[in-house]
Amino acid sequence: MDLARSRGQMLRRRQLAENLEALRARCRASEPPQSRAARIDRLERDIRALRAELEHAETQLRELKNERP
């Protein structure tokens, strides 16, 4: 995913992320239920990762808009 992101292949990165999440969901189905604290921790990590990804995409967009045609 990092390689796709670094190459500006956001669609490919999104597809890989969706596949990874589907795989994780299948793995979680076989795990015992998580505690509330563990779920909160996981969601906080997910949010941090998504915010970092958004910031990266916004930076790329700003750079692209500032380029001269």
Side-chain angles (χ1 to χ4, degrees):
M1 286 187 298
D2 290 336
L3 181 60
R5 184 180 346 180
S6 70
R7 292 183 179 172
Q9 300 171 336
M10 296 308 286
L11 177 60
R12 179 69 179 142
R13 194 227 47 88
R14 190 176 315 126
Q15 290 169 336
L16 290 170
E18 289 170 358
N19 290 342
L20 179 60
E21 184 56 34
L23 179 61
R24 285 179 176 160
R26 284 195 305 265
C27 291
R28 281 191 295 261
S30 63
E31 295 176 357
Q34 290 183 335
S35 70
R36 182 177 182 272
R39 288 193 325 259
I40 290 171
D41 183 54
R42 181 181 52 82
L43 288 172
E44 287 174 341
R45 280 184 280 132
D46 290 349
I47 289 169
R48 282 192 299 273
L50 288 169
R51 283 183 177 151
E53 184 179 329
L54 177 61
E55 184 177 319
H56 179 74
E58 287 175 336
T59 299
Q60 287 182 326
L61 179 61
R62 276 192 302 276
E63 290 171 357
L64 187 59
K65 285 183 173 182
N66 290 332
E67 286 181 2
R68 296 195 185 251

